[in-house]
């Protein structure tokens, strides 16, 4: 499955309160992300940056992309290893540091998957599958900060 894949979306700012960006406090950070055939995703900036906490922010989406990419890569690695996963839940967290000059960067993401496999004999292979999933995760391979895993695997 080699190849180049292209992705497209539309991002539309919906935060004009009547005066555009006339001042830092004069506009909303609301954005609508659209992809044909999918529900719109309502975005904003994070609350410390004058955003709407009820909407997804870019930091949330990056953390979600890393968590979901690992999950999907992991499930595939388990199939290849003969491991039957019956439950998977991740409590992911990320750390972003501002530089004081208006910029910042993520310094780390930690994924904490809690995996349940069908049989105790599968636990070791299921634990090893996290390493392969990390190698395969397109998103983790695209970021310039560490993505760590603190996984726990148990049997049903």
């Amino acid at each position: 499955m080699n190849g180049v894949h292209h992705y497209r979306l539309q991002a539309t700012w919906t935060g004009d309160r009547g005066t555009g960006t006339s001042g830092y406090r004069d506009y909303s950070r609301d954005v609508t992300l659209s992809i044909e055939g999918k529900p719109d995703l309502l975005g904003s900036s994070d609350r410390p940056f004058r955003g709407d906490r009820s909407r997804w922010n870019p930091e949330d989406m990056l953390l979600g992309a890393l968590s979901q990419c690992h999950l999907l890569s992991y499930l595939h690695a388990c199939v290849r290893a003969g491991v039957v996963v019956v439950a998977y839940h991740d409590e992911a967290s990320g750390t972003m540091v501002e530089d004081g000059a208006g910029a910042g960067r993520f310094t780390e993401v930690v994924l904490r998957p809690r995996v349940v496999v069908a049989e105790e004999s599968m636990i070791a292979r299921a634990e090893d599958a996290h390493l392969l999933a990390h190698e395969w995760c397109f998103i983790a391979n695209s970021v310039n900060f560490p993505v760590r895993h603190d996984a726990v695997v148990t049997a049903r």
Side-chain angles (χ1 to χ4, degrees):
M1 186 167 55
N2 293 336
V4 176
H5 306 271
H6 299 276
Y7 300 89
R8 298 174 59 130
L9 69 75
Q10 296 173 348
T12 304
W13 174 55
T14 59
D16 182 3
R17 293 180 177 151
T19 60
T21 57
S22 58
Y24 185 72
R25 289 177 163 68
D26 297 339
Y27 64 96
S28 160
R29 276 58 175 178
D30 292 355
V31 174
T32 300
L33 300 175
S34 303
I35 295 176
E36 187 176 330
K38 297 180 183 183
D40 286 349
L41 182 63
L42 301 180
S44 188
S45 60
D46 196 8
R47 187 71 184 143
F49 310 107
R50 306 193 57 77
D52 181 342
R53 77 177 70 229
S54 71
R55 292 173 172 239
W56 287 82
N57 63 58
E59 297 81 11
D60 294 334
M61 289 187 278
L62 177 61
L63 185 60
L66 284 162
S67 178
Q68 183 179 354
C69 186
H70 183 82
L71 182 157
L72 296 170
S73 298
Y74 179 76
L75 296 178
H76 180 69
C78 284
V79 167
R80 289 188 48 173
V83 172
V84 177
V85 174
V86 296
Y88 184 113
H89 177 79
D90 185 15
E91 295 282 340
S93 63
T95 302
M96 186 185 76
V97 177
E98 292 181 73
D99 68 4
R105 63 185 291 276
F106 269 81
T107 58
E108 176 183 64
V109 163
V110 180
L111 305 178
R112 293 177 185 83
R114 301 304 179 247
V115 180
V116 180
V117 296
E119 299 174 11
E120 193 169 330
S121 63
M122 298 175 175
I123 290 177
R125 286 177 286 149
E127 290 171 342
D128 291 343
H130 282 290
L131 298 173
L132 192 54
H134 181 68
E135 290 178 20
W136 289 348
C137 177
F138 303 140
I139 308 302
N141 286 316
S142 301
V143 298
N144 65 354
F145 53 84
V147 179
R148 295 189 306 108
H149 307 92
D150 179 14
V152 175
V153 179
T154 58
R156 176 170 43 184

